[in-house]
Every structure is written in C-alpha cells, then in structure tokens.
Amino acid sequence: MNRLVGKEVFYYESLDSTNEYMLNRAGTLDEGSCVFCDFQSKGRGRQGREWLSLNGKGLYFSFLLKPKISLKEIPRLTISVAIGISKAFDSLGIKTMVKWPNDIYLNGKKLAGILSELKILDGNNVVVGVGINLLHEKGDFPEDISRKATSLLIETGETYDRRQLLEVLLNYIDKEYVFFLKRGIDIEYFNRKDFLFGKSATYKGEKVLVRGISRDGFLIIESGGTLLEINSGEVEF
Ligand code: BTN
C-alpha cells in the first residue's frame, strides 16, 4: 500500500492519549506514522475538554503530518481530514455530515471529533487525533453528552471492526491530504455535507445565519444582510 498517512501503524491496548504519544515522538517518527489504542486514560478534546475514551468502545487514533504550510492553514488541514473521514464513511454507506470546524455528525448527533495539535521542531509537526464512537450504547454516555453524541452501533446496529475501519479511514484521509496539498479544501464536497448550513448561531450577542465556509476555512455567517467570515472561537450554536 503506497500511502503516506498510515504508512506505519502502531497499536497499544492503553495509552494516556494517542495525541500525546505522537507529539512526544514527532521528532523521530516519519510523516504519516499513526498510532491507535483501545483505551485512553487522558483522552483530550478541543478547548481543554476531556474525550471520553471507554475501553474497547471507540476508535482512538492519531497521525503525524509534516506539511510545509503556514500556521494559519492548519485549521483548513483539519477540515480536509474531516472531509476524508466523511468520504470514508460514505464508502461504507454511512451518510455522515461535516460540522465545521472539525466534527463528524450522523443523524444529527456527534459521531466523531478531531483534535489537531502542533509541535514546531525544525518544521511544522501536526498531530491529528481522531476519536470515533463505535460500540457505545446510549447509557455509556454521561447525561450531558448523551443528547448530542451517538455511535455507529446506535445508528446502524452494526459492530464495526476497529482495525478494518481504521484502514478504510486512513486510505481516504491519505487521499484527502494529497488533494489538500495540491488544491486545498474540497469545498464542493463540504458544501454537500455542511451540517451547519442554514442554521442559526449567535455572534457577538446577535442571531446570525450560517451560509457555509470559505476556501480558507472560515465560517461564513450572514448578519443583518452582510456576509462575514469568522473563526471558530467567535460563534456559538
Ligand atoms: C473533540 O471533538 O473535542 C476532539 C476529540 C478528539 C479525540 C481524539 S481520540 C484520539 C486522539 N487522542 C486524544 O487525546 N484526543 C484525540
């Protein structure tokens, strides 16, 4: 298999966090190296949140990229990874949506999240971590999350094999990464799968409408008849 992302895949039963593992080895491992595990004792999510990493219930993996892009392009890279993941699910007949900036939704609930972290050594080392809910049943999620989260088992009734699913995901993420380096975000695909499109949000205390994303990966909102491009920290849904 001649792919970059996932050219080497390491497996552990348990790690503190697959992102932490990769960040610690960014200087010695090749671009494309990937690690996955069954359980994370300190799985982390975006904005300092914890990522629930129940033993054997989810697919928790991270891979290392060394793109020659500027810092401000990293959010776009993460969107491309989300697109690759969504295309992988399409190939399995699972109709996911992409929620800007980097979540995967299925039937209106969050199925997967992505956390990109950067380490600058002699160049950019971007660790992209992905958590996918596979075998969770409704009662496995804490009450505050259960209204918003779902798993492949809950939505499809099927038990997906972690290793096989990881292979499919890595193949699609790899293709999307190659596309991204040449041409950027596959915006046509994103527009077809945009979970937030047309939804209302709050920006600076005002109600606005989501109108899509720009090629640079900003969210486009409509506020009082004007279109604005904004960053992820600036808006609430
Ligand atoms: C989010 O939606 O907040 C992002 C969640 C990212 C979770 C994954 S699980 C594998 C990798 N290791 C971590 O510690 N976090 C990411």
Side-chain angles (χ1 to χ4, degrees):
M1 166 72 56
N2 191 16
R3 73 181 175 206
L4 176 65
V5 181
K7 61 187 266 197
E8 259 197 298
V9 179
F10 306 105
Y11 163 75
Y12 292 86
E13 271 179 21
S14 168
L15 286 174
D16 50 358
S17 150
T18 55
N19 269 31
E20 189 63 28
Y21 175 98
M22 264 306 158
L23 284 168
N24 288 337
R25 288 159 184 79
T28 50
L29 289 177
D30 287 342
E31 180 173 38
S33 302
C34 174
V35 62
F36 78 108
C37 68
D38 294 339
F39 171 72
Q40 298 184 117
S41 56
K42 284 191 190 145
R44 51 187 189 241
R46 291 178 57 236
Q47 292 162 342
R49 285 190 288 256
E50 179 197 359
W51 182 260
L52 181 71
S53 306
L54 299 177
N55 196 4
K57 296 256 173 173
L59 173 56
Y60 316 114
F61 68 101
S62 301
F63 50 90
L64 177 64
L65 301 177
K66 304 193 181 207
K68 290 186 180 52
I69 57 174
S70 68
L71 278 189
K72 69 174 177 35
E73 289 178 278
I74 288 170
R76 296 167 60 223
L77 170 61
T78 311
I79 293 173
S80 282
V81 172
I83 289 174
I85 292 172
S86 185
K87 287 181 179 176
F89 281 123
D90 289 346
S91 79
L92 299 169
I94 300 166
K95 299 289 171 217
T96 46
M97 306 280 276
V98 183
K99 179 170 178 274
W100 180 88
N102 43 18
D103 290 337
I104 305 293
Y105 268 54
L106 182 57
N107 300 335
K109 292 185 170 185
K110 180 162 168 171
L111 177 71
I114 305 172
L115 173 67
S116 293
E117 295 183 277
L118 175 71
K119 185 164 190 173
I120 299 173
L121 296 168
D122 46 349
N124 286 342
N125 290 266
V126 183
V127 171
V128 185
V130 183
I132 299 181
N133 300 327
L134 292 186
L135 300 173
H136 300 66
E137 293 168 81
K138 276 194 172 26
D140 287 331
F141 295 110
E143 210 179 321
D144 53 327
I145 301 182
S146 73
R147 279 178 297 113
K148 296 180 260 173
T150 195
S151 73
L152 281 183
L153 178 64
I154 293 169
E155 299 303 326
T156 68
E158 305 226 3
T159 53
Y160 284 85
D161 178 79
R162 256 190 304 276
R163 192 68 181 84
Q164 281 173 11
L165 181 62
L166 179 62
E167 275 305 300
V168 179
L169 290 164
L170 289 173
N171 287 341
Y172 277 87
I173 293 169
D174 181 61
K175 273 192 217 147
E176 210 56 37
Y177 182 53
V178 172
F179 182 93
F180 170 81
L181 292 176
K182 283 195 205 134
R183 299 179 47 196
I185 297 173
D186 182 351
I187 197 91
E188 284 75 25
Y189 180 87
F190 188 94
N191 286 342
R192 291 202 303 276
K193 295 287 199 156
D194 184 354
F195 179 77
L196 289 177
F197 186 82
K199 294 205 168 48
S200 56
T202 308
Y203 173 69
K204 294 190 171 164
E206 296 211 0
K207 199 175 160 200
V208 297
L209 280 179
V210 177
R211 290 296 182 212
I213 64 165
S214 70
R215 286 187 186 272
D216 292 330
F218 292 105
L219 188 72
I220 302 173
I221 53 166
E222 185 181 332
S223 172
T226 308
L227 294 181
L228 299 173
E229 293 186 7
I230 60 166
N231 268 314
S232 64
E234 300 179 285
V235 64
E236 279 169 43
F237 302 101

